[in-house]
Structure formats: structure tokens, C-alpha cells
Amino acid sequence: MGPVGIVTLALLAAGLVWGVLVYNALVRRRNEIGNAFAQIDVQLKRRHDLVPNLVETARGYLQHEGQTLIAVTQARAGADRAATVARHRPTEAAAIGALAGAEAALDGVLGKLMVVVEAYPALKADATMRELSEELAHTENRIAFARQAFNDAVLDYNNAAQQAPANAVAAVCGFKPAAMLEATRSEVEREAVAVRF
Amino acid sequence: MRFRRHQEAAEAATTRLLLAFAAVVAVVVVVVNALLWAAYRLTLPWATDLPRLFFETNTALVLGFVLGGCWLEGLRLRAGGAHVAQLAGARPAQPAGAAPTAPLERRLERVVQEMALAARVRPPAAWVIARDDRINAFAAGWSEDDAVVAVTRGALERLTRAELQAVVAHEIGHLVRGDARLNMRLLGLVWGLQMVHGFGTRLAEADDRGRRHAGVLFGLALKAVGWVGWLGGRLLQAGVSRQREFLADASAVQYTRQVDGLGGALRKIAGHVPAPSPAPPACLAHLWLVPPGAPAAWQRWLATHPPLAQRLQRLYGSEGDEGDALPAPVLPPPRGDEDAPPPAVAALAPLAFAGAAAERTAPTARAPAPRVAITMPATAALEAARERELTALQRSLHWSSPGERHAALLALLLSGCDDDPRWPAWQRSTAAYRGAAAVRAEVLAMGPAARWQTLQRLATLTAAEDDRFVLRREALKLVRADAAAGEAPRLHWLRLWWLRQALAARPRARTAALPLPALATAAGAATAWLAPLLTAPAREVAAPPLRRALPLRRLHPMQRPLLVKRWLDLAAPRLDDPACAEALALACRLLDSPEPPAVTAALQARR
């Protein structure tokens, strides 16, 4: 075949190689998102595991606050379920949204529980309670940074998948944009703002 | 700081410098080939043809030198992160245990875990350089498995949690980008270039019999080329190292999402004069946060780190005075709950910071920590008390007339253990001054730390006045009256003795030290008297009345620090109690012995 044919073939080959490289890069970034989500999952699970201990320790002192404890247990169960669902579909916006909602609810009721604990100095001074709340605080730190890392991973993936010319490969191979975790505000803050005015 | 933009700029600059490096190596190869060709032509002018594979062999030889040097250098420090860290004098962090730095090392471990999460890598091992008072840190390791981040003791003690976090984030940034590997490879290449220079030197020098052969000229030329190549290589390697530092700074901002962490740390480094510490080996200079030695001005182009001023300017932009140096005192040890992380991160996990944020203010963060609403009763009372205390402190600054000072000092003398509004003896004593009740109200509104400061200040003011003798007598009368009624706690006695000593007529005369047998008795008596106050301040009942003060001043000066240490050991579990801390501080002053730092920290701590 003539020189034109050879050049065309070479261009096609180059285009194919480029496509494969871009596809690999997108796959790598998507897996990063999955990994980052797994990290959040580990820390969330740690928090979910701490909550029953907290409830049991507090139950002895808080006989009249049964409602709060029940609410905490229920919120924890809800968050656990949402986390299991989202574990299998980390790039789906709906699953992440549901998880964010469930975690926000758990945050809210745990916040209320902490307020109640403040009013019972005997409970607050209990050694186990102190250790548990310290552990909870550090888990919250880690959750915050894990979420930040997840958002960074999502940003990298979205940048790679939506910029031209890679978005052509993304559209052909079915890479959809991923959703970030938005900042949450606890129920306590929202309620308090309403009450003030 | 637009960290992504800075990161992209630093990566682009690194690529340019690496290309320049490759160009330097290529130029050296070409010039060596040219020199050899010229040498060949000159020494063998009758040859018409170059030998086979002439240029290929030359190129292979030169590249062999350069790359071989790189490989050898890499072998030398390939022993892993732990080995390099040990060379620098570090040891693994010990978060458990009773050492005074254990809470700091626990904090370091937690910070390393958090930053590893933010960087999406496995957490490196946390090591500590225990004997170093400088504020510095470094990262070592070739892969995720043997990565180590080491932090000096000065950094642990003098940086806040946010600043420590930023320093660790900077080092993890280095690890994530493989800067250690890159620097090692470049150093190896530079060493390889130096081998060309060395080869030229060997050719040019005389051999054993003092004769030089015709290769001398060629040797000199090779030496020159090698030297230029080596210098170019070193300049480029230093340039790459500086760019990687900028990149790591931007990564630190990315992981912590705030500028004040790293900015505060760098500013404290600028303002800190460390105690002398052993210098780390120079071969590891490029791995540190800031270079351990101070580079000379002419070495700017060879510096592995950019100047601090330039780094601060990149962090803060070119706004006015935020790049100024900060003092770096040793901070009090961390308690259970820590400062809140920056608001951008805290918003992602609001629970942990709901209670803690209302009680603390992070001094170096620019935005306030997220506040929970005032409707919560515990924090509301705390806020109000804090406001009241500040007002009281401000008003106390204006007390300068004799009546005010007397009323205040006597109120401070009697305050604390029992804030009974009666104080009949005090009222009789200050009956002449009409504003006394207001002064007492202010004193009672202050917390223990504020009262201690005001007591010191007023005592210093009064020590220069002539009316201090009246005050001494009045103070003695008051405490004796309380003792007669059976209500004078030990703390009041301590304060009284200290006040009388501070307001004495003339400097204390040196008293003869007690003979040895009496020493043990005196020390034992003092400890026995102080013990109830130090070990159970809350349950302190009135002290048995004493005719004279304890003979503390007659203890030998060498005994006093030992006695203070014994008291500190006794009081260690109770140091949180302000009465205990104040008693220890007063006792140290009565002994004329320096105050232990734990006591100073406890006195300054807020309730």
C-alpha cells in the first residue's frame, strides 16, 4: 500500500494507543474513588461500633433519657444500612446522598446525647465515658479527613473524565461523573438557629 | 493559596529542570566525544579513519560513568527509611508509657494517621528526634512499606496541633511524590558527572616517575568539561529540590485546607532560637523541612531549600505583615480533647467539635471554630463567666491608689477556698476605703489564673511603696484572726508568708544553713505540713495555727530543688486543682527555688 495508507494506519494506531491510555487513567481514578470511600467506610464502621458501647455506658446513668438513647440506636442502625448499600456502589450519586443523610441524622442525635451528657456530671466524669468520647472525637477527626480525601479523589476523576478530548472516551466507555460528599451541618445547629429568633 | 495551581507550577518547573539536566548530560557526552576525536586526530594524524564504534564506545563510557555513579549512590542509602531515620538520631514514637512526652507522641501518631488518610496513603511510621530542641521534621523511605516521618522534640513541644499537622502533611507530601527517590537519583547523577571530572584529573596529573605524557592536555580539557558538567548538575539538582519543597508546601495546604498551619510553623521556626543540639549528618540535608544549618548568602543557587521568606510569601500571598516571625515558647501539654481542625474540615464531621469548640479558641486559626448555639446551658454559663472575668481583669489594671491596692491584696489573700461574702475581719480592715466592696466583687469574679496574675502584679507595685508595712501588719492580723476562729486554711498561710516576704523592708539577709541532722527534720516538717494541701486540696480543713513560719529559708540551696521535686511528685495527680498549683508555686517562691514548668502551665491553664 502507498505512503498515504501507511500514514493513515499509523495515525489510527496512535489514536488507539491514546484511547487505551486515557481509558486506563480513568479506570485508575475511578478505583481511587472506591478506595477513598472504603477508607471513609472503615472510619464510619469504627464510629458505628463505638455507639453501642456509648449507649450502654450511658444507660446506667440516664434512666430518664430513654427517648434519646432509643433515637441514637435507631439512627445508628439506619446509618449502618445506608453504609452497606453505598459500599457496593461508591460512584452512584443517589447512594452517596442517602448515606450522607443517614450520617447527618446520626450526627444530630449523637450531638443531642452529648448535650444530655453535659448535664450529668457523674456520667461525664466516668472514666469509660471519657475514653469513649475521646475515641469518638478522634474518629470524627479521621472521618473528616477521609471525606476530604474522597472529595479530592472525586475531583481528580471528574476533571479527567470531563475535560476534552478525554470526555469522548469517557462518554463512549460509560464513565459518569461522580458526586462529592458535601459538608454537613448537624441538627443541633439548624434547630438552634430557628429557636433564636 | 491556590494550592493546585502552585502544585502544577512546581511540577512543570521540575520537568523543565529535569530536561535541562538531561541536556547537561548530553552536552557532556558530546563534548567528550569531540575532545577524544580531536585528541585522536592530533596524536595520530596519519590515520585516515576513526576506529570502529569510536563514538559509540565513548558515549557508552561516559554514560557508564554517570549512570553507574547514580546507581552506586542509590545503593548506599537504599537501606530503608528506618535506617536513614536512625542516622539522623531518631527513635520510634512511644505514645504509651509515663514519659512526659507521651501525650505529645500520642498526638503525633494521631496526626500522622489523619494526614495519611487525607493523602490516601498508608500511614508512615512516626519517629521522634528526642534530643533536638529545634523545630524541624523530615521524611525518609523509598516506598510505602518503609516510609518514616520523624519530628523533633522542639516541634512536638512548641507547635500547636494545627501547625504539627501541617508539618506532617508537608512531609507526607514529600513521600507521596517520591521526592526522596528523585533527590537520591539526581544526587547520584551529579556524583557520576563528578567522576568524569575525576577521570580527567587522573589523566592530567603526573604519573609515578614525574613525567607527563601527551594525554595531559586532553586530561585538563576533560577535567574542565567534567567540572562544568558537575557544577551545572549541582545547580539543577538544587533547583529541583527547591521546586519539590514548594510542591510539598502546596500539598500541606491541600491536606490541611488551611494556610495558617504551615505558615504558623514556618514563622515559629523563623523566630525560634533553639538550645544547642547535635547537628545531623549533612548527606541528609535535603530531606528536612528547613535546612538544619544556615546557608551562606553566596550559596543561594546551591541551596536545597528556598528561603523562608519566599515560602511564607507564597503561602500568604503578598499581604502585609503576616509573614513576620512568631515566638515559639513551649506550650502546655495536650489534654484530652484537642483543638478543632480548620472549619472546612470540621464541617465534614461536626459532632466531635460541637462541645469542644465552644470551650476553646484556636489562637492561630484565622476563622473561629464552629460554635454551637448559646441555648445549651453549660456553655452559656461558661461564656458569661469568661466575659465577667475579662471585665474584672480590665478593671483591676486601674487599681493604683493605696486603698484599692490594700483592699485588693487582702481580698486576694483570703479568696479561693471560701468565697464567703461575710469576711468580717476584712471588712473591718478596709472600712476606711469606700470602694472596697466593689474591689472585692471584682476579685471574686476572677478565676484562679487571673487572681494569681493580679496578686503578683499588685504585690510588685506595692513593694515599692511606703505603705507596705501597714499592709504587712494587716495581712498578719487577718490570717491570725481567722486562725483563732479555726478557719485559716494552709493556702492562706502560704500566701501570707509570701506576701510578707515580698513586701519586706529590706532584701532578705542570708541566714545560716541548718546543720545536717536538723535538715531532715526541717524538710520533713515542711513536707508534712504541705502534704494535705498538695494531695487533697478539696478536703483541706483549717491548718493548725503556727507561731512562726516554716524554716524553709534555712535549708541548704542544694536541697531545695530536691524538696521541690518531692512536692511536685506528691502533687502531680492534683495539679489540675488551682489551689494545689498555687500552693506549690508559693512554696517554690518561699524556698527561692525555680518554679517547675508543670506548675507554671497549671497556673496559666484556664478552668
Side-chain angles (χ1 to χ4, degrees), chain B residues 171-324:
Chain B
E171 298 306 330
I172 290 188
H174 273 314
L175 287 173
V176 163
R177 314 270 174 180
D179 285 346
R181 241 192 329 244
L182 178 64
N183 272 320
M184 276 295 119
R185 292 214 175 107
L186 284 178
L187 276 180
L189 285 172
V190 166
W191 196 60
L193 282 170
Q194 196 186 10
M195 284 179 88
V196 172
H197 170 78
F199 182 60
T201 315
R202 274 224 28 219
L203 271 187
E205 71 194 9
D207 65 8
D208 294 335
R209 281 169 282 178
R211 283 188 311 185
R212 295 169 187 271
H213 48 86
V216 155
L217 272 179
F218 169 62
L220 284 175
L222 202 58
K223 199 165 137 174
V225 163
W227 187 82
V228 168
W230 170 70
L231 184 67
R234 275 203 65 185
L235 289 173
L236 288 170
Q237 185 263 334
V240 167
S241 177
R242 286 195 295 270
Q243 287 301 322
R244 300 315 268 192
E245 289 296 328
F246 283 135
L247 184 59
D249 280 350
S251 307
V253 173
Q254 178 190 0
Y255 300 145
T256 54
R257 290 301 208 272
Q258 61 167 347
V259 165
D260 287 309
L262 191 61
L266 290 176
R267 286 164 70 190
K268 280 189 176 172
I269 292 174
H272 175 52
V273 178
S277 317
C283 68
L284 304 169
H286 59 265
L287 296 171
W288 293 85
L289 176 68
V290 292
W298 63 269
Q299 285 178 336
R300 199 164 54 101
W301 293 108
L302 292 174
T304 47
H305 291 76
L308 265 183
Q310 197 181 10
R311 287 167 88 170
L312 283 169
Q313 203 226 6
R314 281 207 185 194
L315 277 178
Y316 285 113
S318 13
E319 299 159 23
D321 58 347
E322 278 163 340
D324 292 345

Side-chain angles (χ1 to χ4, degrees), chain A residues 134-146:
Chain A
E134 203 177 299
E135 208 39 59
L136 204 61
H138 290 115
T139 311
E140 294 292 324
N141 254 344
R142 281 194 273 253
I143 292 176
F145 283 108

Side-chain angles (χ1 to χ4, degrees), chain B residues 193-565:
Chain B
L193 282 170
Q194 196 186 10
M195 284 179 88
V196 172
H197 170 78
F199 182 60
T201 315
R202 274 224 28 219
L203 271 187
E205 71 194 9
D207 65 8
D208 294 335
R209 281 169 282 178
R211 283 188 311 185
R212 295 169 187 271
H213 48 86
V216 155
L217 272 179
F218 169 62
L220 284 175
L222 202 58
K223 199 165 137 174
V225 163
W227 187 82
V228 168
W230 170 70
L231 184 67
R234 275 203 65 185
L235 289 173
L236 288 170
Q237 185 263 334
V240 167
S241 177
R242 286 195 295 270
Q243 287 301 322
R244 300 315 268 192
E245 289 296 328
F246 283 135
L247 184 59
D249 280 350
S251 307
V253 173
Q254 178 190 0
Y255 300 145
T256 54
R257 290 301 208 272
Q258 61 167 347
V259 165
D260 287 309
L262 191 61
L266 290 176
R267 286 164 70 190
K268 280 189 176 172
I269 292 174
H272 175 52
V273 178
S277 317
C283 68
L284 304 169
H286 59 265
L287 296 171
W288 293 85
L289 176 68
V290 292
W298 63 269
Q299 285 178 336
R300 199 164 54 101
W301 293 108
L302 292 174
T304 47
H305 291 76
L308 265 183
Q310 197 181 10
R311 287 167 88 170
L312 283 169
Q313 203 226 6
R314 281 207 185 194
L315 277 178
Y316 285 113
S318 13
E319 299 159 23
D321 58 347
E322 278 163 340
D324 292 345
L326 277 179
V330 172
L331 299 174
R335 298 188 175 202
D337 37 1
E338 300 270 34
D339 307 341
V345 176
L348 292 168
L351 174 66
F353 317 110
E359 286 194 21
R360 294 186 191 286
T361 49
T364 50
R366 273 196 261 162
R371 296 171 69 88
V372 184
I374 309 281
T375 50
M376 293 207 298
T379 44
L382 209 58
E383 290 290 330
R386 190 62 52 75
E387 294 286 338
R388 182 77 190 84
E389 185 181 48
L390 276 175
T391 326
L393 264 176
Q394 272 170 350
R395 292 215 184 112
S396 78
L397 290 173
H398 297 293
W399 294 336
S400 52
S401 74
E404 280 168 338
R405 279 187 286 109
H406 281 218
L409 276 172
L410 292 176
L412 285 165
L413 179 67
L414 297 177
S415 74
C417 303
D418 145 39
D419 286 337
D420 189 348
R422 288 174 297 143
W423 288 4
W426 180 88
Q427 280 171 341
R428 276 198 301 278
S429 184
T430 53
Y433 176 58
R434 257 178 304 163
V439 165
R440 190 184 68 194
E442 299 297 333
V443 163
L444 292 180
M446 291 186 199
R451 281 187 204 163
W452 175 253
Q453 282 171 18
T454 316
L455 181 60
Q456 305 288 304
R457 199 176 61 84
L458 288 176
T460 317
L461 273 179
T462 314
E465 305 284 338
D466 287 329
D467 53 355
R468 63 188 188 271
F469 308 109
V470 175
L471 189 56
R472 288 183 83 206
R473 274 202 306 273
E474 289 298 320
L476 186 57
K477 258 183 9 196
L478 277 180
V479 179
R480 276 197 182 147
D482 273 349
E487 285 176 1
R490 285 171 168 78
L491 192 55
H492 290 184
W493 282 109
L494 279 174
R495 283 182 187 155
L496 172 72
W497 294 329
W498 171 75
L499 197 60
R500 284 175 63 83
Q501 181 183 293
L503 301 179
R506 50 185 169 275
R508 307 173 286 276
R510 288 177 74 77
T511 46
L514 289 169
L516 210 51
L519 262 178
T521 325
T527 311
W529 191 85
L530 269 179
L533 182 52
L534 296 180
T535 49
R539 286 208 298 269
E540 233 249 284
V541 295
L546 290 173
R547 301 273 343 246
R548 295 153 33 139
L550 298 172
L552 294 174
R553 302 212 49 77
R554 298 195 66 197
L555 288 174
H556 193 274
M558 298 300 277
Q559 251 84 26
R560 296 180 196 178
L562 292 174
L563 197 54
V564 169
K565 184 168 185 319

Side-chain angles (χ1 to χ4, degrees), chain A residues 21 23-33 157 175:
Chain A
L21 289 174
Y23 179 82
N24 285 348
L26 286 174
V27 164
R28 206 170 27 239
R29 293 206 159 99
R30 189 171 58 185
N31 288 343
E32 278 270 351
I33 299 182
Y157 169 78
F175 287 95

Side-chain angles (χ1 to χ4, degrees), chain A residues 70-149:
Chain A
I70 291 176
V72 168
T73 318
Q74 281 175 345
R76 179 208 171 256
D80 222 4
R81 277 196 300 271
T84 318
V85 164
R87 197 168 296 146
H88 298 295
R89 295 201 278 272
T91 47
E92 209 183 85
I96 300 284
L99 175 62
E103 288 294 333
L106 181 59
D107 277 344
V109 289
L110 272 179
K112 284 204 190 98
L113 180 64
M114 287 303 158
V115 171
V116 167
V117 164
E118 291 279 326
Y120 286 76
L123 172 58
K124 201 170 152 193
D126 183 52
T128 321
M129 188 68 187
R130 260 212 316 266
E131 261 177 43
L132 280 173
S133 28
E134 203 177 299
E135 208 39 59
L136 204 61
H138 290 115
T139 311
E140 294 292 324
N141 254 344
R142 281 194 273 253
I143 292 176
F145 283 108
R147 284 180 177 166
Q148 183 189 284

